[in-house]
Structures are given as structure tokens and as C-alpha cells.
Amino acid sequence: MIDQKKAEKSASFALNSYRTMWEIRLFEEAVQDLFDDGKMYGTMHLCIGQEATAAGGAGVLNKTDWVLSTHRNHGHAIAKGTDRRAMLAEILGKQTGTNRGKGGSMHIADLTVGNLGSNGIVGGNFPIAAGAALTAKMNQTEQVVLCYGGDGATNEGSFHEALNLASIWALPVVYLIENNQYGMSSAIQQMVNVKKLSDRAESYGIEGLTIDGNDVFAVQRAVEISVEKARKGGGPTLIEAITYRYKGHSKSDKLVYRSKEECQYWMENHDPILKLEQRLAEEFSISNAQLAEIRTAVQQETKEMVRSVLNDPEPELKELWQDVYQEGVKQ
């Protein structure tokens, strides 16, 4: 007998995830267009192709739970609830940005929704996540930390130190590694000598899982189970989510290390949005018209967001030293 409430919850999650994933993809495409048009400066790291790890991960946390991200952070922030308009303003260096235009693309944070921020240092967020989890454990808040990382970051010393500490102290933290096949321009097969990155969990006496990172339901299940275990005092989990980024590591990446055929294969056979569309049609009887309505709504929202943010004010010179030092503390 079909559990009606469970079926309705699954359908709701699927539709919400579908919208979130389109919000992420169209946001990233808008950022790329702004960069190409010379309206955005610096660099950026797009997560197009990795939308399911964000929607199925950060998207299933409680608002009071915390998330820590990497320099490829836009999707995680959107899924956790950070306002897209404020994010775009931040990337463009506007006064209305999440961090008043001082963080830029790689350092978006939003404490109002539990987004503790991203990190431009590869692997720099792993020990911070352990520290946040220690805070939650000492304060007995039942909060859990979800920490994202890339496959390349698992070779950093900070990764191993953080997992060791989190294991010893049974900290409420889940480490979710987005294995998108490349650490900058280096293929994962050339950088590690284990079959699965999740195998590294065994070294620290914690559970390790490898999942399809382009299946939002697989990500949801793994994260929910791991978060619930951590919330009950069961300690950390290492999740490896197999995914793929369609764009380069950053805007300076010429993509000379992989073929167009390889990227096309992933786009045609493993695209997370197309996977979810198929499931919505087959399992939940969602029509193409319903899906088109969601896409169109997000497209219009994104277009209006870009138009309006471009007119936002720039930070004033007098704000240069604000937010640099903690106010009220004697040096």
C-alpha cells in the first residue's frame, strides 16, 4: 500500500528541488553573461552541472543548521536560502550585497539562514566546519554542519586534520565532497590512489559513502541520514558525490585538458536537471507544461534581478574600513 503522505512529501521535494536547480543554473548563466559583457570584475567559479549536490544537500537542512562552502559556492548559498538578488549584488560589488560588496563571488556569507560562508583557500573550510560543529556540541543546540569540498581539496592537510578531529570528538558535521572529476586541470585519477574518495573515511573510523551526485534524491537520502546521525551524537560522515562541472575551474580556464566529447557525454547522459525532469514525469505525473511554467518563472525572475541590480549603488569611500575590525574591541 502506497504511503500517501510520503508520496506527497517526495513530490513536494522533487518540485522544490527542480525550481532550486533552475534558480542555480540560470543564476550562474547570468553571472557568466555579466562577466563576458565586462560588467563583473575579478573571477568566478561556476557550478553548472552540479546543481543536485546543492539542492539535495544544503536544501534539506534546517534553517538553524550551518553550511560551509568552497569557492564554487553560489549553488550552496541559493539552496540554503540566501537571497539571489543580494548574492548577485555582492558579486558585482554593490552596497546592497550580502556582505556590502566586500566579499565578492568567493566569500558570500549569510548568517541569517545559517550560511557561514565560502572560502577561497582550498580546503580552508574543513577545519572551520569542525570548529562550528564543536560549538554546536558544547552548546547542545542539536545543530549540524554540512561542509562542502571539492575532490582536489581532499589532498590538503586541512582535510585530514579536520576529519581526524571530528572523528575523535564525534562532532556533528557532515563532509560532502563534490567529485567533479577535476581539481583545477588535474584529473582525479592522476591525483589519488584510492578507488573512491569515501574510502578515506575508514582511516578515521567514520562512515564513508559514495553516491550519484547528479541524482538529487540520492543526495537527499545520504545527507538526511548522515545529518540525523550527527544530530543524535553519532559523529561525522564523509559523502563523496560523483558529479561533473560543465565549465572550467574558473574564468581563466581554457579547458585544454579535457575533450568536448567528454563534456557532451555528461551533459547528455547525466545532467541533474534532465534526470529530475524524467523522474518528475514518470513517477509523479508532472506534465511538460508544469515544468515549463517553473522554468519560465525563474527565467523572468532572473532577468528582472539582473536588470535591477545593475542600478544599485556602489559602496562609498567612507565605508572602506567598516567590517574590517570588530567594533568595540581594544587593540
Side-chain angles (χ1 to χ4, degrees), residues 2-18 21 215-218 220-221 272-291 294:
I2 298 175
D3 187 328
Q4 188 64 30
K5 288 185 177 181
K6 187 176 181 179
E8 289 175 358
K9 183 179 179 181
S10 294
S12 177
F13 168 78
L15 283 172
N16 289 338
S17 295
Y18 185 70
M21 288 160 71
D215 179 348
V216 72
F217 281 96
Q220 175 207 23
R221 285 192 299 271
I273 294 180
L274 293 180
K275 274 192 172 187
L276 183 53
E277 283 184 349
Q278 183 177 1
R279 193 155 181 177
L280 282 165
E282 294 177 355
E283 295 185 24
F284 302 104
S285 301
I286 303 298
S287 67
N288 288 332
Q290 289 173 284
L291 297 177
I294 293 173

Side-chain angles (χ1 to χ4, degrees), residues 145-315:
V145 182
L146 176 64
C147 180
Y148 284 92
D151 48 279
T154 64
N155 290 328
E156 296 289 334
S158 57
F159 168 80
H160 298 278
E161 293 169 2
L163 261 66
N164 186 57
L165 191 69
S167 172
I168 292 170
W169 290 346
L171 298 180
V173 56
V174 177
Y175 289 104
L176 199 166
I177 304 304
E178 295 173 308
N179 182 353
N180 61 21
Q181 315 301 311
Y182 293 95
M184 294 190 71
S185 59
S186 299
I188 184 65
Q189 296 85 355
Q190 299 172 331
M191 301 304 292
V192 300
N193 198 26
V194 292
K195 292 182 179 180
K196 297 182 294 183
L197 293 178
S198 60
D199 289 342
R200 290 181 161 178
E202 187 176 355
S203 300
Y204 305 104
I206 65 176
E207 185 178 5
L209 306 170
T210 294
I211 61 172
D212 181 354
N214 285 357
D215 179 348
V216 72
F217 281 96
V219 179
Q220 175 207 23
R221 285 192 299 271
V223 171
E224 284 187 338
I225 291 171
S226 301
V227 164
E228 188 61 24
K229 183 184 74 172
R231 208 183 302 281
K232 292 180 178 179
T237 302
L238 175 64
I239 302 172
E240 176 191 17
I242 306 298
T243 183
Y244 194 83
R245 57 171 165 81
Y246 296 164
K247 303 297 181 179
H249 170 72
S250 66
K251 287 304 294 179
S252 60
D253 189 348
K254 303 301 182 184
L255 286 174
V256 297
Y257 51 86
R258 68 183 190 188
S259 66
K260 292 181 179 179
E261 290 77 15
E262 177 187 300
C263 189
Q264 193 67 28
Y265 167 80
W266 278 86
M267 292 173 68
E268 292 177 356
N269 296 279
H270 299 287
D271 184 86
I273 294 180
L274 293 180
K275 274 192 172 187
L276 183 53
E277 283 184 349
Q278 183 177 1
R279 193 155 181 177
L280 282 165
E282 294 177 355
E283 295 185 24
F284 302 104
S285 301
I286 303 298
S287 67
N288 288 332
Q290 289 173 284
L291 297 177
E293 185 178 350
I294 293 173
R295 290 195 302 271
T296 300
V298 177
Q299 287 170 344
Q300 292 175 344
E301 292 167 8
T302 304
K303 185 180 295 185
E304 173 57 26
M305 174 182 69
V306 172
R307 187 198 63 77
S308 63
V309 168
L310 288 172
N311 296 319
D312 283 4
E314 306 284 343

Side-chain angles (χ1 to χ4, degrees), residues 66-70 106-107 109 111 114-136 144-148 158-159 161-163 165-166 171-175:
W66 291 325
V67 64
L68 275 135
S69 186
T70 68
M106 288 197 292
H107 299 96
L111 301 185
N115 175 5
L116 298 186
S118 47
N119 205 303
I121 300 173
V122 176
N125 55 334
F126 294 133
I128 297 174
L134 178 60
T135 299
V144 174
V145 182
L146 176 64
C147 180
Y148 284 92
S158 57
F159 168 80
E161 293 169 2
L163 261 66
L165 191 69
L171 298 180
V173 56
V174 177
Y175 289 104

Side-chain angles (χ1 to χ4, degrees), residues 57-108:
V60 303
L61 298 177
N62 293 340
K63 186 175 181 179
T64 53
D65 290 330
W66 291 325
V67 64
L68 275 135
S69 186
T70 68
H71 43 262
R72 200 177 311 284
N73 67 322
H74 303 158
H76 309 148
I78 291 172
K80 190 63 175 75
T82 299
D83 181 70
R84 283 176 289 154
R85 191 190 190 285
M87 281 179 57
L88 185 60
E90 181 63 30
I91 292 170
L92 292 173
K94 300 292 186 177
Q95 194 178 50
T96 52
T98 54
N99 307 95
R100 299 206 282 191
K102 297 181 179 180
S105 174
M106 288 197 292
H107 299 96
I108 293 171

